[in-house]
Amino acid sequence: DVQLQASGGGLVQSGGSLRLSCAASGITFDGNAIGWFRQIPGKAREIVSCMSGYDDTTYYAESVKGRFTVSRDNAKNTAFLEMTNLKPEDSALYYCAVDGVCLPRFSIVGPQYDYWGRGTLVTVSS
């Protein structure tokens, strides 16, 4: 049984930082693509970042490029999303996902992932 547990969300002022974590059980991050998505109520879920399971190349949405960093610790089977210089428009429910399509080297990034966490809420105040 695969479970993903996202944590680290919270309330932060504009310009602040947060580090999201995604701990997995029942599946290993090693060799699997990791995705971070976010969703604002009433809007479609969007991809924020992903890391390839093949070569660790990374993808970032234009809106977060230069501010967010995705990483993983295979030994701890945990993925991270380091978010800096946060803006009010970054406020959303953030989800981690594993085992999907993330091939930045070939500009192929897909929303289809097999396993999803429940999400952690990020609120950025202005």
Side-chain angles (χ1 to χ4, degrees), residues 44 57 65 100 109 114:
T57 51
K65 198 173 289 185
V109 175
D114 285 342

Side-chain angles (χ1 to χ4, degrees), residues 18 57 75 77 107:
L18 284 173
T57 51
N77 217 28
S107 300

Side-chain angles (χ1 to χ4, degrees), residues 86-115:
L86 283 161
K87 305 174 181 181
E89 52 264 41
D90 294 319
S91 298
L93 192 61
Y94 282 72
Y95 298 89
C96 62
V98 67
D99 196 9
V101 178
C102 179
L103 299 171
R105 190 182 299 277
F106 304 103
S107 300
I108 300 173
V109 175
Q112 298 86 6
Y113 281 71
D114 285 342
Y115 305 102

Side-chain angles (χ1 to χ4, degrees), residues 7 13 20 24 43-44 64 67 89 91 117:
S7 61
Q13 288 189 331
L20 305 185
K43 294 191 176 182
V64 307
R67 300 187 296 121
E89 52 264 41
S91 298

